[in-house]
């Protein structure tokens, strides 16, 4: 058993490669057996793809065809629309199945990048293999790749960005070219990519400060972000309410808070209408917590159990890092980035909208599961006195 957990175990890489193939095979089989799914957004993407084809893939003209006052520029949807249009041209009536295959390819590449993130920071292959089942049972992984949406594209770009951030941490430099391309593609994939872009840029800025070389300082910083976020969102609410409430694009943000909405289209989560600033802060606090909530009244017992396993192991990973971490600065910086990413995305959607199916949580699942592998490595090093 000791040899299996040794960094020099000769079968480690082979065991890992088999685990990747098995994990992906189960995910692919599940989605292929289920078939693709179309939502209302999928149908809108399909119409836009038809428009792009009609315009001979002229993106400049495409961006000008929809000037809806409540919707961002079509630039922010251009990557998924372009890929759907390409599938329609190449595969005609089978374009939806082709897009599902594309999503599954991105799942496979995401698993490879996930593994490479961990290998480059010297996490043992056998420990990475033990983490892969957590991806396999992730409800988000088992739901969103089959949809004709931007979700899998976006999630792939998020884990790819995480890879280059980690690579930069190891080499003590910023991969400006790669990250710039990823940021551009993120923005062109989804209008809600702002928090991911913010996390990347903000991490690059703060990681240069010596104060973030200490694990306890990182933990205190993350805790301060968690505590202050509802207050910052509450102040932003007041700023909009008193200065910009006549603008339709931002008025809907405050109107949902006024109704006590926590999770969109889930009235059982709503609270009483806020009567003062503290009530507003309380609503944003509940939204921030509920962004990671594993439970909903409509979820099956299996769904809740799988969500609960995932969130408990992620929280346990953070606890292990807080108690036993600090010995490896690279691990500390990886935790800093991933927690910044998670809270940035959670805070943004707490302010904008938390959808009833928690769709916007999916892109940060793989980065969060990275923490579990790293925590296992920390524990094994502690046990083996390495």
């Amino acid at each position: 058993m000791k040899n299996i957990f040794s960094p020099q175990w000769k079968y480690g890489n082979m065991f890992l490669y088999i685990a990747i193939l098995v994990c992906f095979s189960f995910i692919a089989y599940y989605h292929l057996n289920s078939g693709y799914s179309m939502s209302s957004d999928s149908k809108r993407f399909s119409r836009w793809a038809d428009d792009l084809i009609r315009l001979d893939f002229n993106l400049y003209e495409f961006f000008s065809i929809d000037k809806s006052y409540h919707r961002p520029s079509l630039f922010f949807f251009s990557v998924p629309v372009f890929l759907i249009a390409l599938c329609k041209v190449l595969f005609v009536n089978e374009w939806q199945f082709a897009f599902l295959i594309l999503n599954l390819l991105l799942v496979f590449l995401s698993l490879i990048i996930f593994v490479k993130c961990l290998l480059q920071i010297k996490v043992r292959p056998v420990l990475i293999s033990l983490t892969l089942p957590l991806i396999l049972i992730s409800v988000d992984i088992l739901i969103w790749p089959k949809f004709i949406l931007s979700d899998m594209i976006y999630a792939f770009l998020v884990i790819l960005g995480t890879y280059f951030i980690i690579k930069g941490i190891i080499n003590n430099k910023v991969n400006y070219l790669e990250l710039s391309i990823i940021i551009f593609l993120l923005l062109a994939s989804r209008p809600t990519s702002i928090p991911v872009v913010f996390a990347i840029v903000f991490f690059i800025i703060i990681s240069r400060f010596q104060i973030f070389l200490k694990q306890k300082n990182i933990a205190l910083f993350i805790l301060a972000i968690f505590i202050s976020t509802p207050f910052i969102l509450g102040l932003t609410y007041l700023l909009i309410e008193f200065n910009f409430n006549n603008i339709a694009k931002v008025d809907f943000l405050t109107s949902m808070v006024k109704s006590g909405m926590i999770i969109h289209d889930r009235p059982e989560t709503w609270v009483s209408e806020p009567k003062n600033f503290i009530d507003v802060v309380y609503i944003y606090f509940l939204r921030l917590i509920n962004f990671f909530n594993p439970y909903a009244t409509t979820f099956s017992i299996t769904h809740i159990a799988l969500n609960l396993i995932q969130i408990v192991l992620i929280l346990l990973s953070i606890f292990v890092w807080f108690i036993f971490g600090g010995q490896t600065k690279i691990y500390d910086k990886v935790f800093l980035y991933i927690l910044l990413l998670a809270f940035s995305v959670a805070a943004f959607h707490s302010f904008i909208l938390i959808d009833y199916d928690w769709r916007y949580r999916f892109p940060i699942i793989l980065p969060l599961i990275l923490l579990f592998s790293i925590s296992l490595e920390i524990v094994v090093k502690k046990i083996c006195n390495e």
Side-chain angles (χ1 to χ4, degrees), residues 73-323:
S73 166
L74 289 182
F75 164 78
F76 295 102
F77 306 96
S78 52
V79 169
V81 170
F82 178 84
L83 291 174
I84 290 172
L86 205 57
C87 287
K88 286 192 171 196
V89 169
L90 296 177
F91 300 99
V92 196
N93 293 332
E94 298 298 323
W95 72 267
Q96 290 149 312
F97 182 73
F99 193 83
L100 171 60
I101 297 299
L102 173 62
N103 275 350
L104 291 177
L105 174 62
L106 292 177
V107 170
F108 180 71
L109 293 176
S110 296
L111 289 175
I112 297 297
I113 294 168
F114 175 91
V115 168
K116 288 180 70 67
C117 284
L118 294 166
L119 288 176
Q120 67 179 342
I121 55 175
K122 310 300 182 185
V123 175
R124 289 153 227 253
V126 67
L127 297 181
I128 303 173
S129 303
L130 294 176
T131 305
L132 293 178
L134 186 56
I135 297 175
L136 180 60
I137 66 170
S138 172
V139 175
D140 299 282
I141 297 291
L142 297 175
I143 290 177
W144 296 112
K146 65 182 176 183
F147 276 87
I148 312 299
L149 292 168
S150 63
D151 296 70
M152 194 58 235
I153 300 166
Y154 184 64
F156 167 74
L157 291 171
V158 171
I159 192 66
L160 184 62
T162 302
Y163 169 79
F164 282 109
I165 286 288
I166 294 175
K167 185 177 180 181
I169 291 171
I170 295 168
N171 297 327
N172 197 28
K173 71 172 188 177
V174 179
N175 297 288
Y176 285 109
L177 177 60
E178 294 89 343
L179 289 174
S180 296
I181 294 171
I182 290 169
I183 286 173
F184 175 80
L185 292 174
L186 281 167
L187 291 171
S189 297
R190 183 180 282 183
T192 54
S193 58
I194 293 171
V196 177
V197 174
F198 171 80
I200 292 172
V201 174
F202 189 57
F203 174 79
I204 290 171
I205 293 171
I206 67 170
S207 62
R208 299 179 180 276
F209 294 102
Q210 295 294 317
I211 189 173
F212 293 109
L213 294 178
K214 294 184 178 180
Q215 180 237 22
K216 293 295 188 289
N217 292 341
I218 293 173
L220 287 173
F221 180 65
I222 295 298
L223 181 62
I225 290 176
F226 175 73
I227 293 172
S228 63
T229 293
F231 290 94
I232 294 171
L233 297 181
L235 291 171
T236 308
Y237 166 89
L238 293 180
L239 178 66
I240 292 174
E241 181 67 9
F242 291 120
N243 296 280
F244 306 104
N245 62 352
N246 59 333
I247 302 175
K249 283 188 176 182
V250 295
D251 181 58
F252 83 99
L253 299 175
T254 57
S255 64
M256 289 188 290
V257 175
K258 290 174 186 175
S259 65
M261 183 188 295
I262 306 299
I263 307 296
H264 189 258
D265 282 346
R266 289 192 181 273
E268 70 274 11
T269 66
W270 299 6
V271 297
S272 302
E273 296 179 8
K275 293 180 170 55
N276 51 51
F277 177 70
I278 297 301
D279 288 345
V280 172
V281 170
Y282 178 63
I283 287 173
Y284 283 124
F285 174 75
L286 289 179
R287 287 185 175 189
L288 188 64
I289 295 296
N290 274 275
F291 184 81
F292 300 100
N293 188 2
Y295 172 82
T297 54
T298 56
F299 288 174
S300 67
I301 294 175
T302 303
H303 190 154
I304 295 169
L306 294 179
N307 272 345
L308 198 58
I309 290 169
Q310 180 176 270
I311 193 67
V312 167
L313 289 178
I314 290 170
L315 289 174
L316 183 62
S317 302
I318 296 171
F319 178 77
V320 166
W321 167 73
F322 180 73
I323 299 299

